[in-house]
Amino acid sequence: NKLCPAMRRVILLCLLAGVSAFTPTTLPLTTPARRMRASYAMCAAPTPRDDAAVRMGRRSAIAAVLTSLIALPAAVRANEVSDAMAKKSPNDVVQFLLDKLAKNNSPAPDAGLKTLISATSPSNPNTADPEKFIDFMKKGAYQILLGKYDAMRMAPANEGILKSGNYGATVTIRLDSTVRKFAAMGVDPKYLFVAEEELKESDSAGAGDMDSKLFVIMEFQLSKEPTTKSWQVDSVYFVPLEAMRA
C-alpha cells in the first residue's frame, strides 16, 4: 500500500519527536583525582569540637608557663632574703634592707617593705597585719627609710647577748635631710639634730631656713634565730636626744 504524501509527513514528524525526547543528558563528571583531594580535605579538617579542645589545651599550657614565670621571681627574692639574713654581718643585713627599701616599688609595688616584713622576727606585732604595717611605714615619719634622705652613715654593729638570752646586734644609722623634707614627713622635732652641731637637738625644725641640714638617728635591733642562726629584725626606731646623752 502506498501512503499519501500527507500521511508520510505525519509519520516523519512523530519519529523526529521521539528521537529528540530520548536525547541523552550530559552529566557532570568527578575525576578520581578530585574525589581523592576532597576525601583528603575531609580527613584533614578538624571538627569544631576537636578544634575547641586543641585551643583549650594550648590555653592551659600557656597559663601553666605564665604561672611558673610569675612565681619564679618571688621564689628568687625569698631565697635572696634568706641568704642575706643567714650569711651577712649585721651591718651588711641593714645595708641590704636599706637598699631594698630605697627601691620600694622595684620590681613590684612595696617590694622593699615586704622584704623588711619577711626579715622581721615573728615576735614583732607588725607581722600580724602586713598591710597595716605597710600603710604606716608609707605615711608616717618612718617613710624616710624609703630612700627619702640625702645621705646615710652607719656605725659598726654593737653585738652581744640580749635580755632574751639570744645573741643580737644593734646597728645605728644616721640619715641626713633638710628641714623642709623632715617637716613634710612629719618627723617629731625631738628626733632632729643640727648637722653642724653633733648630738644637739634642733630648735629650727619648722622655722627659719627650710633648706638647712638636719639628721636623725635610727637603730635596727637584730637578733639571731637560735635554730637557723639567721638574723632577724626585732625593731627599728628613732633615737631621741635624751637617749643619745644617756
Side-chain angles (χ1 to χ4, degrees), residues 142 170-173 187-193 199 201 215-220 236-246:
Y142 283 85
T170 301
V171 179
T172 303
I173 62 172
V187 178
D188 193 316
K190 70 180 180 181
Y191 299 123
L192 297 176
F193 301 88
L199 303 182
E201 186 176 5
F215 67 90
V216 294
I217 300 294
M218 301 186 74
E219 289 185 344
F220 281 74
V236 183
Y237 49 86
F238 287 95
V239 179
L241 176 63
E242 292 76 11
M244 296 296 292
R245 284 175 174 172

Side-chain angles (χ1 to χ4, degrees), residues 23 29 51 78-79 108 157 160 162 183 192 204 206 213 215 218 237 241:
T23 300
L29 297 179
D51 192 47
N79 290 335
L162 304 176
L192 297 176
S204 63
K213 295 292 184 178
F215 67 90
M218 301 186 74
Y237 49 86
L241 176 63

Side-chain angles (χ1 to χ4, degrees), residues 18-229:
V19 171
S20 63
F22 288 98
T23 300
T25 302
T26 303
L27 297 176
L29 297 179
T30 303
T31 63
R34 289 178 179 174
R35 286 199 299 270
M36 183 180 298
R37 286 196 297 271
S39 299
Y40 176 77
M42 290 180 66
C43 293
T47 63
R49 180 179 298 177
D50 292 340
D51 192 47
V54 170
R55 288 198 300 270
M56 288 299 294
R58 288 176 179 171
R59 289 173 184 170
S60 298
I62 292 172
V65 172
L66 290 177
T67 300
S68 63
L69 289 176
I70 292 172
L72 182 59
V76 171
R77 289 196 298 272
N79 290 335
E80 182 184 16
V81 175
S82 60
D83 287 346
M85 304 306 286
K87 300 177 182 179
K88 293 182 179 292
S89 69
N91 286 88
D92 289 337
V93 165
V94 172
Q95 185 65 65
F96 170 78
L97 294 175
L98 289 174
D99 290 342
K100 294 297 182 183
L101 290 170
K103 300 176 181 178
N104 183 47
N105 291 320
S106 177
D110 298 323
L113 286 168
K114 291 176 182 177
T115 298
L116 177 60
I117 292 172
S118 66
T120 300
S121 167
S123 62
N124 191 307
N126 291 318
T127 59
D129 193 341
E131 293 303 320
K132 183 178 180 180
F133 172 73
I134 289 174
D135 187 64
F136 169 78
M137 292 290 289
K138 292 172 71 174
K139 294 181 178 179
Y142 283 85
Q143 65 182 285
I144 190 173
L145 292 172
L146 303 180
K148 297 184 178 182
Y149 47 85
D150 299 329
M152 188 275 293
R153 303 180 192 178
M154 185 184 303
N158 182 19
E159 301 186 46
I161 304 299
L162 304 176
K163 293 181 180 180
S164 63
N166 294 335
Y167 190 80
T170 301
V171 179
T172 303
I173 62 172
R174 166 180 163 168
L175 302 178
D176 291 62
S177 192
T178 63
V179 173
R180 188 188 311 279
K181 292 179 181 178
F182 280 122
M185 291 183 283
V187 178
D188 193 316
K190 70 180 180 181
Y191 299 123
L192 297 176
F193 301 88
V194 178
E196 292 74 18
E197 301 175 39
E198 297 291 332
L199 303 182
K200 179 180 178 182
E201 186 176 5
S202 172
D203 57 2
S204 63
D209 185 5
M210 297 298 289
D211 294 321
S212 62
K213 295 292 184 178
L214 303 177
F215 67 90
V216 294
I217 300 294
M218 301 186 74
E219 289 185 344
F220 281 74
Q221 183 65 61
L222 311 179
S223 65
K224 267 199 172 181
E225 204 285 321
T227 304
T228 63
K229 305 300 181 183

